[in-house]
């Protein structure tokens, strides 16, 4: 298992930017997918962006493509989500997730059910 701790949430006006970070620790296994999700009360958790620690290119949901950028540091200990041109509909709790010890295809990599490690979440609020 891997421990995940998010930071960087907050409030911003529409059109602004925020950067979320996720510190990962405790896992010494092979490469795995890490991802960012968000959830609004009463709705399903939405996959936003994912990256494979082994080096495959990122995958983005259409709702954030061109506005959000996912990246990892060279030590693969920190996952970052740079969010630009934020909209009020981006308001949600944002979660970092990792899929350790699991096999999935790239088509599955934005599915919440594919992930077995979750951070505690961080609130992002975008005002109009």
């Amino acid at each position: 298992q891997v421990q995940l701790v998010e930071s960087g949430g907050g409030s911003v006006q529409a059109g602004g930017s925020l950067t979320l970070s996720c510190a990962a620790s405790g896992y010494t296994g092979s490469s795995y997918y890490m991802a960012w999700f968000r959830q609004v009360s009463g709705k399903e958790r939405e996959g936003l962006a994912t990256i494979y620690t082994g080096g495959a290119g990122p995958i983005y949901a259409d709702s954030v493509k061109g506005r959000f950028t996912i990246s990892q540091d060279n030590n693969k200990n920190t996952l970052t989500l740079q969010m630009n041109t934020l909209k009020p509909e981006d308001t949600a709790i944002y979660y970092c997730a990792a899929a350790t010890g699991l096999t999935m295809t790239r088509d599955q990599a934005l599915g919440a059910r594919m992930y077995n490690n979750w951070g505690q979440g961080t609130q992002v609020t975008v005002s109009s």
Side-chain angles (χ1 to χ4, degrees):
Q1 299 299 308
V2 59
Q3 289 73 49
L4 304 170
V5 179
E6 302 102 335
S7 61
S11 298
V12 65
Q13 289 193 327
S17 299
L18 280 174
T19 302
L20 304 183
S21 295
C22 173
S25 63
Y27 186 71
T28 58
S30 57
S31 300
Y32 54 96
Y33 278 96
M34 293 190 73
W36 287 98
F37 291 81
R38 68 186 178 192
Q39 190 167 25
V40 176
S41 180
K43 294 189 176 182
E44 291 188 357
R45 197 162 289 190
E46 177 190 11
L48 304 176
T50 184
I51 195 166
Y52 187 63
T53 63
I59 302 169
Y60 295 96
D62 288 342
S63 59
V64 303
K65 197 174 295 182
R67 299 189 299 124
F68 291 10
T69 302
I70 189 172
S71 61
Q72 62 181 36
D73 69 352
N74 289 336
N75 293 326
K76 301 178 178 60
N77 293 330
T78 302
L79 185 73
T80 299
L81 186 68
Q82 175 65 43
M83 305 186 293
N84 298 326
T85 320
L86 284 162
K87 306 174 182 180
E89 52 264 41
D90 293 319
T91 295
I93 299 176
Y94 284 67
Y95 296 90
C96 172
T100 55
L102 302 175
T103 301
M104 71 173 86
T105 65
R106 283 175 63 84
D107 288 344
Q108 295 173 312
L110 286 178
R113 64 181 180 86
M114 302 305 296
Y115 290 80
N116 55 351
N117 299 274
W118 294 87
Q120 81 284 358
T122 185
Q123 176 71 46
V124 170
T125 302
V126 184
S127 58
S128 58

